[in-house]
Amino acid sequence: MEIILKTDIAGLGYKNDVVTVKPGYGRNYLIPQGFAVQATGSNKKILAENIKQVAHKAEKVKMDAVALAEAIGDITLAIAAKVGESGKIFGRVTTIQISESLKEKGFDVDRKKIALDSEVKFVGDFTATLDLHKEVKHKVKFTVVAD
């Protein structure tokens, strides 16, 4: 019996796979539990269309991330922080400050998608990595200046 999996099932396959199982397993367990549907001609056409649409949406999201990375380009952000006499920062520079600085420049990047490449403890130049998409990473430079 051929079925189309709706979810990942260990030892059997992944979501949207067409697999062959014994009729009793498919009819008595997988289909009633909602883990699969029977692989009829119409269900296979629906599956092909769904895969095509998901791929198109994923490509659009990736292209949006690439466009944002190109728009950000090589800008250098200035982050103001309170500094002691030795040049050491009181507190620390966080991803929230970088996100707000990017917002001021017109780029909306969530703070959870920003990672600092090194700890920021002194005044100077640093970099942060923006995780815009699973395949699109972008480095942005920022300078910590005395407030």
Side-chain angles (χ1 to χ4, degrees), residues 13-81:
Y14 299 102
K15 182 178 179 177
N16 295 330
D17 282 353
V18 177
V19 295
T20 303
V21 295
K22 292 189 176 183
Y25 182 51
R27 206 173 32 250
N28 296 328
Y29 178 69
L30 294 174
I31 293 173
Q33 293 293 324
F35 297 144
V37 293
Q38 196 167 3
T40 61
S42 62
N43 283 344
K44 287 181 181 180
K45 287 180 184 176
I46 291 170
L47 173 67
E49 183 63 28
N50 287 344
I51 289 173
K52 186 172 123 182
Q53 287 179 3
V54 166
H56 180 69
K57 287 179 185 175
E59 185 64 26
K60 181 172 179 357
V61 169
K62 181 181 175 188
M63 295 308 287
D64 290 345
V66 169
L68 180 61
E70 289 175 358
I72 291 173
D74 293 333
I75 65 169
T76 301
L77 305 172
I79 308 288

Side-chain angles (χ1 to χ4, degrees), residues 82-142:
K82 292 187 179 184
V83 179
E85 291 179 18
S86 64
K88 189 169 181 179
I89 297 172
F90 294 122
R92 57 188 255 187
V93 173
T94 63
T95 58
I96 296 171
Q97 292 167 303
I98 296 170
S99 176
E100 289 172 354
S101 183
L102 282 168
K103 258 186 197 153
E104 290 172 6
K105 300 275 187 185
F107 305 110
D108 189 22
V109 178
D110 186 26
R111 69 179 177 88
K112 295 175 186 171
K113 295 183 177 186
I114 300 172
L116 297 172
D117 292 348
S118 61
E119 283 192 40
V120 181
K121 294 184 177 182
F122 294 95
V123 173
D125 296 330
F126 300 93
T127 59
T129 303
L130 306 179
D131 186 12
L132 303 173
H133 185 268
K134 65 181 179 181
E135 298 174 11
V136 180
K137 312 269 189 270
H138 185 71
K139 298 249 185 214
V140 66
K141 296 176 186 171
F142 66 95

